[in-house]
Amino acid sequence: MHQWVWARDIVAAIAVGVGLFFLLTKVLKAKKQLTLWISAILGVASLVSFLSPDLAFNMAPTVFRLPMLAASAGIAVVFYFGLMLVIILLLDLIWWLATRKRSVTGPDKRGLDAQAGQIIGSATDDSPDSDGHDTGTQVITADVSDADQDTDSPSTDHDQPTHPTAELAPDIGDDTPALKPPRRARLHTVRLLTALALVLSLIITGYGFVKAQEPAVTQVNLTFPTLPSNFDGMTIALVADLHIGSMTRDSFLPMVVDQVNAAHPDLIVLAGDIADGYVKDLGPKLAPLKNLSAPYGVVVTTGNHEFFSNAGEWMDYYSSLGLRVLENNAILLQRGDQTVQILGINDRQGKGEWAPNLSLAVQRGGAPANTFTVLVAHEPVQAEDDRGQAAKVGVSLVLSGHTHGGQLWPLGYLELLAQPALSSVHEIDGVTSFTSRGVGTFRPPVRVGADPEIPIITLHSG
């Protein structure tokens, strides 16, 4: 496991612990000793959760599949719980600022200040009463006692405060909700919302886990004026991002293979990130790929994850299963006297001889000029690499995956910072591009707002 992976996950776990400690002590006002233990325990649990997918990738502990699966799902719980806590803290801050501003500049303060001024003024008024006595101070003590005693007449008891004005100021501020709303109400609300956030994060993760196990076949129709008429109605099954690993249940890939074959596509495309691990550990799990069947066969390209675990070994293994590997290469499809070209280039993670090379793929294809061309590239951004080279060499359609449709909403918005498209059909640098949400998952076995899919793309001649 790379050191940067450990460093990244340790930093994330520390952030979880520190964030929980702040929340519990400063916001929820919990006891510090209890808070310290809770933060430490949940921080360590988060670290285990963050590390589990990488441990599974490198160690392939198939025997620990269920514990690893549960631990990995914890990433989604931490993510959604943390996201909701940030929202709760922002709402609490807005509430505090609003009540604080009201206590300083609210409409009730002027009236209360005026009222206090009149009372204080009366305290210093030396005008005599109807009997000719100076009762200024006695009147003030009577008014103050009325708030605490049930009396009908002014009190002259020697226990009354001798400086009534000093006692009035705090009474006005403390007893008036308009100036200082009870802190307890806000604290109660935050505690209630925090408990609700934890429950919701568990529910969302459970929902996303179930959805991730149910890839669906989706239908996509694309029309091109340049598509040869003989190929009108041709279908391509796009299978991207399977991410078969030690945590994947044994029945998952056979289920996907059956779904693809049941759609009877003319061509099957595996667009990279097929495995998460090494051939020596996962080879038997990938063996069902040999059962894929289509008239034009099955083509495979590399994704970034192949390069994490020796892409050369995986390409050799796929070839042994009867799959056609396109490493900067091409195949030509014939219907009558008309031709369609399928190009496949390596992922950008490849270096040296493994680097993506579209020009080399076109050269190896050897198709005549103006041949309708489909490019299979793992990442949608590859459609605009090399200053729009795809459009220059006559590519009409690019098929990609990689994004998982964001996998966990709203992370897709961050993915768009690196990729020009998240899913579905887009035009990228003048070329029609279709990006699949993919079949599998990476790290948490959870999908929220990005259901897994197996697109069946039907090409129509315009």
Side-chain angles (χ1 to χ4, degrees):
M1 185 179 300
H2 297 293
Q3 291 182 349
W4 71 269
V5 172
W6 281 95
R8 176 200 64 192
D9 291 341
I10 289 173
V11 169
I14 291 174
V16 170
V18 172
L20 285 171
F21 186 81
F22 171 80
L23 172 74
L24 292 171
T25 57
K26 300 298 183 182
V27 180
L28 300 182
K29 302 298 182 184
K31 293 181 179 180
K32 287 190 176 180
Q33 186 174 2
L34 177 63
T35 296
L36 188 61
W37 278 105
I38 292 175
S39 301
I41 291 172
L42 293 182
V44 171
S46 298
L47 179 60
V48 172
S49 182
F50 298 152
L51 287 174
S52 58
D54 302 297
L55 291 172
F57 185 98
N58 288 273
M59 298 169 59
T62 306
V63 67
F64 301 120
R65 189 181 77 85
L66 291 179
M68 285 290 189
L69 206 59
S72 296
I75 297 174
V77 177
V78 171
F79 171 71
Y80 281 110
F81 186 48
L83 184 63
M84 293 180 199
L85 287 183
V86 170
I87 296 173
I88 291 171
L89 292 178
L90 288 176
L91 292 175
D92 181 60
L93 178 61
I94 293 171
W95 189 350
W96 176 77
L97 289 174
T99 54
R100 182 173 180 271
K101 182 178 180 180
R102 184 180 178 190
S103 68
V104 175
T105 61
D108 294 338
K109 186 176 185 300
R110 296 178 184 175
L112 290 168
D113 286 347
Q115 180 182 356
Q118 292 175 0
I119 297 175
I120 293 172
S122 66
T124 57
D125 190 357
D126 292 335
S127 58
D129 63 0
S130 58
D131 296 329
H133 299 291
D134 185 359
T135 60
T137 301
Q138 293 176 348
V139 170
I140 293 303
T141 56
D143 289 344
V144 173
S145 63
D146 283 346
D148 302 318
Q149 302 180 30
D150 186 14
T151 57
D152 296 326
S153 59
S155 172
T156 57
D157 193 280
H158 66 278
D159 290 333
Q160 291 294 334
T162 56
H163 301 287
T165 57
E167 297 294 330
L168 279 170
D171 284 349
I172 294 173
D174 289 343
D175 294 339
T176 309
L179 290 180
K180 188 177 181 181
R183 172 78 172 89
R184 183 175 301 173
R186 213 173 86 224
L187 178 61
H188 176 74
T189 301
V190 171
R191 286 175 174 173
L192 182 64
L193 290 177
T194 300
L196 181 62
L198 179 58
V199 173
L200 284 178
S201 64
L202 291 170
I203 292 174
I204 291 172
T205 299
Y207 164 83
F209 178 82
V210 172
K211 295 300 292 185
Q213 311 306 312
E214 302 173 345
V217 173
T218 58
Q219 300 293 332
V220 180
N221 291 279
L222 299 176
T223 301
F224 298 91
T226 56
L227 179 70
S229 58
N230 288 354
F231 286 89
D232 183 52
M234 175 184 172
T235 56
I236 302 174
L238 177 59
V239 183
D241 303 290
L242 280 164
H243 287 285
I244 303 300
S246 61
M247 291 188 292
T248 307
R249 71 181 192 272
D250 292 338
S251 60
F252 184 77
L253 184 55
M255 176 191 67
V256 172
V257 170
D258 289 344
Q259 287 179 290
V260 174
N261 288 339
H264 303 292
D266 295 308
L267 174 69
I268 299 172
V269 172
L270 302 181
D273 279 8
I274 300 167
D276 272 343
Y278 297 89
V279 173
K280 63 182 179 63
D281 300 316
L282 301 177
K285 273 183 174 283
L286 274 294
L289 290 176
K290 66 184 178 182
N291 297 323
L292 289 170
S293 177
Y296 289 117
V298 183
V299 298
V300 184
T301 59
T302 57
N304 54 307
H305 279 242
E306 272 77 24
F307 289 100
F308 296 158
S309 52
N310 198 327
E313 286 189 2
W314 275 118
M315 296 302 104
D316 291 342
Y317 180 71
Y318 295 146
S319 295
S320 72
L321 297 178
L323 314 181
R324 178 67 182 270
V325 178
L326 298 183
E327 306 168 24
N328 299 325
N329 212 328
I331 61 171
L332 300 179
L333 311 181
Q334 292 289 144
R335 281 189 178 180
D337 59 349
Q338 296 178 334
T339 303
V340 165
Q341 180 176 222
I342 309 295
L343 302 176
I345 59 175
N346 287 329
D347 183 75
R348 296 190 301 163
Q349 191 71 25
K351 307 300 179 186
E353 64 175 329
W354 287 96
N357 192 328
L358 182 55
S359 297
L360 179 60
V362 172
Q363 179 184 343
R364 287 172 170 173
N370 301 320
T371 299
F372 185 88
T373 300
V374 177
L375 170 64
V376 183
H378 179 63
E379 302 181 43
V381 72
Q382 290 181 274
E384 60 184 15
D385 279 357
D386 299 326
R387 299 182 180 180
Q389 186 184 10
K392 294 176 183 177
V393 300
V395 172
S396 297
L397 172 63
V398 178
L399 301 179
S400 302
H402 182 69
T403 66
H404 296 208
Q407 187 166 324
L408 297 179
W409 184 92
L411 290 180
Y413 296 108
L414 296 179
E415 184 70 26
L416 286 175
L417 298 177
Q419 299 292 337
L422 198 61
S423 64
S424 192
V425 182
H426 292 81
E427 184 172 302
I428 302 175
D429 265 5
V431 178
T432 299
S433 175
F434 180 83
T435 304
S436 170
R437 295 191 298 268
V439 179
T441 58
F442 174 58
R443 294 183 68 79
V446 178
R447 280 179 174 264
V448 178
D451 293 351
E453 66 173 348
I454 304 169
I456 304 299
I457 302 164
T458 303
L459 304 181
H460 298 282
S461 175

